[in-house]
Amino acid sequence: MKTELLAPRPDAIEKAAGILRAGGLVAIPTETVYGLAANALDGAAVRAIFAAKGRPQDNPLISHIASMDMLGMVTGSVPPQAQRLAEAFWPGPLTMVLPRGAAVAREVCAGLETAAVRMPSHPVAQAVIRAAGVPLAAPSANLSGSPSPTTAADVLADMEGKIPLILDGGACSVGVESTVISLAGAQPVLLRPGYITKEQLEDAMGCAVALSDAVLHKLKDGESAASPGMKYKHYAPKADVTILKGSFDAYKEYMKSHCADGVYALCFTGEEPALPCPCVTYGRADKPDEQAHALFSALRELDARGAKTVFARCPAQEGVAMAVYNRLLRAAAFRVVEV
Ligand code: TXA
Ligand code: MG
């Protein structure tokens, strides 16, 4: 199959909508990362997403809507807390897990009785959903396990020959996937940190949000994840990544004694001159927004440059930085060394 890359002009949006209505796949930009979209009401179309990504069948997908009218196609009852979060953060990078609705394809929910839904703010994503007229199931448009794509070129690298169309909306502004919160149980639980922080969610709902264990810790063998996506090794470049936790001075000393062929520093912007080995940066040390925006492209750049061993500076763990740390932990297969 030939993969077309088109600027998101009105005729390209119409073409995308036509492919989606006919059960095909289209990669679309969102404010977080690029998504690999299919009609969320069409089980066969959704199965094609899993095949193109090589995604495990038990990992459910997020359905994307363009207006509150579409919510009922994806979810069943909508509790008042969900209404509050929708008012505060939609359209935007927040996904809610709610009791599932009857219309959404079984494959989207991977056998669960819940469905994940979000209303993206990216104008191209919104235009495609509206033109298609149905909710779009869309995981990140990468091969399962590799870093999520934040540019159309990243999508092409993973999906060329597998899908007919990529809409090129430029670089994604946020750069990490949406915050996922479950409102399906007795207490709200943060399943995946993102640009909307735990504190913001608590403020908007006026109650505490629990943090799922899987966010910052490796699941033990046999332990089940509230969010199935959190159990897989994820976002990983080909190189072995280790996070070094400690001061910049300690990091520098460690790098001096570990510098060798194929060893790279994944450091904060501005730290390069003090380091003895090749560096890839991912934003300034005190700017978690920049780190979120840059992390996935930095991981892809390490692959492009042939890195074999990577030592990463450790981000903070609160606010937006929690999302950065959560992704980096998975890229490093939870290898963290205190220096
Ligand atoms: O920002 C985003 O959310 C991007 C863009 C394209 O919108 N999408 C994305 O999708 O990151 P994906 O499939 O890569 O991640 C979806 C996450 C997974 O961790 C999955 O396990 C979780 O959401 N999830 C989906 N449905 C769920 C459910 N019913 N219960 C618990 N977790 C669910
Ligand atoms: Mg993903």
Side-chain angles (χ1 to χ4, degrees):
M1 179 186 308
K2 193 184 166 310
T3 302
E4 249 191 311
L5 189 67
L6 295 177
R9 282 189 288 271
D11 53 331
I13 304 266
E14 267 317 311
K15 184 166 192 171
I19 293 170
L20 290 163
R21 279 193 301 263
L25 306 183
V26 179
I28 59 170
T30 83
E31 70 277 23
T32 56
V33 302
Y34 276 74
L36 183 59
N39 178 354
L41 312 183
D42 177 347
V46 173
R47 285 197 293 278
I49 295 180
F50 285 86
K53 279 182 63 86
R55 183 179 178 103
Q57 299 282 342
D58 65 345
N59 192 6
L61 306 178
I62 297 169
S63 297
H64 297 68
I65 58 175
S67 67
M68 289 306 271
D69 304 340
M70 278 188 175
L71 189 57
M73 294 191 216
V74 180
T75 67
S77 62
V78 178
Q81 283 176 328
Q83 283 291 348
R84 245 173 267 149
L85 292 185
E87 276 159 33
F89 302 113
W90 279 359
L94 177 69
T95 295
M96 292 191 243
V97 173
L98 295 166
R100 63 166 294 194
V104 70
R106 191 173 36 83
E107 288 82 350
V108 173
C109 308
L112 301 175
E113 286 311 309
T114 52
V117 61
R118 99 170 175 99
M119 189 190 292
S121 64
H122 197 294
V124 175
Q126 289 198 359
V128 174
I129 300 166
R130 263 196 222 99
V134 287
L136 298 179
S140 49
N142 52 298
L143 291 174
S144 196
S146 75
S148 295
T150 56
T151 66
D154 293 346
V155 178
L156 193 65
D158 281 13
M159 290 295 153
E160 183 155 29
K162 298 183 165 192
I163 59 174
L165 177 60
I166 301 169
L167 294 180
D168 185 352
C172 302
S173 58
V174 173
V176 291
E177 305 86 345
S178 59
T179 305
V180 180
I181 186 172
S182 172
L183 298 174
Q187 198 198 355
V189 182
L190 183 65
L191 299 178
R192 181 174 73 180
Y195 188 75
I196 309 286
T197 64
K198 183 167 174 289
E199 294 73 27
Q200 284 177 293
L201 295 167
E202 289 175 336
D203 282 351
M205 288 190 293
C207 68
V209 173
L211 187 62
S212 166
D213 266 353
V215 169
L216 298 177
H217 304 283
K218 190 176 177 170
L219 289 171
K220 294 175 197 73
D221 286 344
E223 206 175 345
S224 75
S227 186
M230 287 284 123
K231 77 183 180 201
Y232 301 105
K233 181 176 175 187
H234 230 123
Y235 315 120
K238 294 185 183 77
D240 283 328
V241 181
T242 302
I243 300 171
L244 301 185
K245 205 170 193 169
S247 69
F248 181 52
D249 278 339
Y251 180 84
K252 239 174 10 196
E253 287 312 308
Y254 191 97
M255 293 311 285
K256 277 188 193 140
S257 58
H258 286 76
C259 206
D261 222 27
V263 173
Y264 276 70
L266 177 58
C267 63
F268 295 127
T269 309
E271 295 176 342
E272 314 89 291
L275 293 168
C277 49
C279 296
V280 170
T281 62
Y282 74 108
R284 285 174 287 177
D286 58 345
K287 296 279 188 277
D289 294 25
E290 287 183 12
Q291 294 163 20
H293 180 75
L295 180 65
F296 287 138
S297 47
L299 293 174
R300 283 179 181 257
E301 187 184 339
L302 287 163
D303 274 349
R305 288 173 64 178
K308 298 277 178 288
T309 304
V310 174
F311 294 106
R313 286 274 277 140
C314 188
Q317 278 151 54
E318 301 85 43
V320 177
M322 188 195 277
V324 179
Y325 185 60
N326 167 273
R327 306 312 188 274
L328 193 54
L329 264 180
R330 282 163 176 77
F334 291 88
R335 273 187 302 268
V336 182
V337 172
E338 308 255 357
V339 290

